[in-house]
Amino acid sequence: MAGRARNRRVVTACCSAALESGLRPDMALAKAQVLVPGLVVNEAAPQADQEGLHRLALWILQRFSPLVAADQPDGIVIDTTGADHLHGGEEAMLEVWVGRLAMSGVEARAAVADSWGAAHAFARYLTNPIFVADPGRGLSLLSPLPLEALRLPPAMAGDLRTLGFRTVGDLHRQGSLKATRPALR
């Protein structure tokens, strides 16, 4: 997906194949097209996306969990504490969500982790469309992911790359990240 960021055209979202090819959101569209010849680009529709995200959150709220919130710009965070067993466990619940969305023509990815941030990263940067992180393993599983998985501003991620950091693990090994006990799951 592509859109405008001030006066330049940028990638606004990527499918898993694009991510595997080295494309990232906020990358200049011209650079993405050079990196992936024949790249299929669709125009972003932010307002329609937000309306769809809101409708999806209501659908989940009515069926799975009372604690649902939009995870801008393209996700939903759900606190499944105490609800996952009602749906056959965490993995089975995620399979139902992703499967129902696929039947509606929506490609989705879902993850469960110790924290909102970790689940956000796993859903967006792992190749598995469904992922359940073992409790307490978040940091080790995050280590090979790109800096963007930390939801850093693009300029900051770029600056860190200039300093030689490429992955979450690179930052952790420098002591820049500390493991914390999260409140959300």
Side-chain angles (χ1 to χ4, degrees):
M1 303 294 290
R4 290 218 163 268
R6 295 189 203 117
N7 63 346
R8 64 186 196 119
R9 302 253 310 140
V10 297
V11 174
T12 58
C14 300
C15 67
S16 57
L19 288 170
E20 290 170 12
S21 297
L23 305 188
R24 298 281 180 260
D26 297 315
M27 174 183 279
L29 180 60
K31 180 178 180 178
Q33 290 172 314
V34 168
L35 289 173
V36 181
L39 180 66
V40 175
V41 179
N42 294 308
E43 277 304 307
Q47 183 63 33
D49 290 346
Q50 293 310 307
E51 291 168 7
L53 193 60
H54 179 72
R55 285 191 308 275
L56 181 58
L58 288 175
W59 175 78
I60 290 171
L61 178 71
Q62 293 170 352
R63 287 164 181 79
F64 294 100
S65 175
L67 299 172
V68 180
D71 184 16
Q72 303 294 341
D74 60 356
I76 294 177
V77 64
I78 306 156
D79 185 342
T80 63
T81 305
D84 53 329
H85 73 282
L86 299 171
H87 305 284
E90 294 168 332
E91 191 165 343
M93 183 176 58
L94 297 183
E95 286 175 4
V96 168
W97 294 346
V98 171
R100 285 189 180 180
L101 290 169
M103 288 188 299
S104 298
V106 176
E107 181 183 334
R109 303 168 59 77
V112 173
D114 289 339
S115 70
W116 178 354
H120 174 100
F122 297 146
R124 286 163 177 80
Y125 292 93
L126 292 179
T127 57
N128 315 21
I130 296 171
F131 184 77
V132 178
D134 292 331
R137 295 226 26 242
L139 189 54
S140 65
L141 295 168
L142 287 168
S143 287
L145 299 183
L147 296 171
E148 290 78 8
L150 296 174
R151 298 182 286 181
L152 300 172
M156 183 182 293
D159 291 344
L160 288 168
R161 285 188 191 291
T162 300
L163 293 172
F165 296 101
R166 300 283 179 262
T167 66
V168 173
D170 292 341
L171 285 177
H172 182 252
R173 283 186 288 282
Q174 281 299 117
S176 302
L177 293 176
K178 302 289 183 218
T180 60
R181 189 108 181 119
L184 287 178
R185 179 173 154 190

